[in-house]
Amino acid sequence: MDPAIEAVGAQSYADVPIGLLSGGQQQRLRISQALARGPRLLLCDEPLASLDPAAQDEIVAVIDRHRRAHGTTVVYVTHEITPIADVVDQVLYLAAGRWTAGPPDTVLTTQRLSALYGAHIDVIRVHGHVVIVGEDSAGDGIRHPHHDGSAGHRGDPHDGHAGHSPEGHQH
């Protein structure tokens, strides 16, 4: 069996037609394909989509082991910061057409995110997870606080994925 397929735990369905697989199974195989090529740069666009919290943690660990073993640079694009917060050394956080960047412990703070959003945001660290909770102020505030993956995600039309470019406001 291919080591990349084994690394993501996809041995039992690696030969199943892709259309018959669940979203999470498909995601594991996509990650396996990306790792199999031994890239120097790995661009991960929502790599944890369709995965439950336990599977997210497992896949983040697989990608991080690969990063360390092969010296791979990994860039995550994600709405879910919690699963990757412990394995990244820099965060570029986009919200409301603005951005902030730096180490996770510097960016993911109540003060920094409140300034970015222009509304009070609570950043809570509990059991090794970062939980970001915000208010929806008059319909234009926070609509998608990042969470620990246990609840549904509500998209924010101003999160940088809706065609708004960051204005370069660093807080």
Side-chain angles (χ1 to χ4, degrees):
M1 183 63 58
D2 186 294
I5 290 173
E6 289 179 18
V8 299
Q11 305 91 307
S12 65
Y13 49 84
D15 294 324
V16 175
I18 196 86
L20 299 178
L21 298 175
S22 71
Q25 291 169 329
Q26 290 178 27
Q27 194 70 339
R28 285 176 181 266
L29 287 174
R30 285 185 201 105
I31 291 165
S32 172
Q33 287 176 321
L35 295 177
R37 296 182 178 128
R40 294 183 60 191
L41 172 64
L42 185 61
L43 302 174
C44 299
D45 186 8
E46 296 293 348
L48 307 177
S50 301
L51 298 175
D52 63 45
Q56 288 178 352
D57 290 343
E58 179 186 345
I59 293 303
V60 168
V62 167
I63 293 171
D64 194 51
R65 275 192 305 276
H66 180 86
R67 175 189 66 83
R68 284 191 242 153
H70 300 281
T72 303
T73 298
V74 179
V75 176
Y76 286 98
V77 176
T78 183
H79 287 88
E80 303 298 331
I81 190 71
T82 298
I84 65 166
D86 292 336
V87 298
V88 298
D89 56 5
Q90 294 289 309
V91 173
L92 171 62
Y93 196 106
L94 305 171
R98 295 182 289 165
W99 61 273
T100 187
D105 288 341
T106 302
V107 171
L108 304 176
T109 67
T110 294
Q111 181 180 6
R112 192 97 171 244
L113 294 185
S114 293
L116 179 68
Y117 279 103
H120 182 74
I121 305 297
D122 286 310
V123 177
I124 304 159
R125 297 182 191 295
V126 61
H127 302 294
H129 294 285
V130 176
V131 181
I132 301 171
V133 181
E135 300 174 11
D136 182 3
S137 58
D140 63 353
I142 309 308
R143 286 190 176 82
H144 82 295
H146 298 241
H147 52 79
D148 66 1
S150 61
H153 167 77
R154 297 185 306 164
D156 179 351
H158 304 290
D159 68 359
H161 291 287
H164 299 279
S165 62
E167 297 169 8
H169 295 201
Q170 175 112 17
H171 299 278

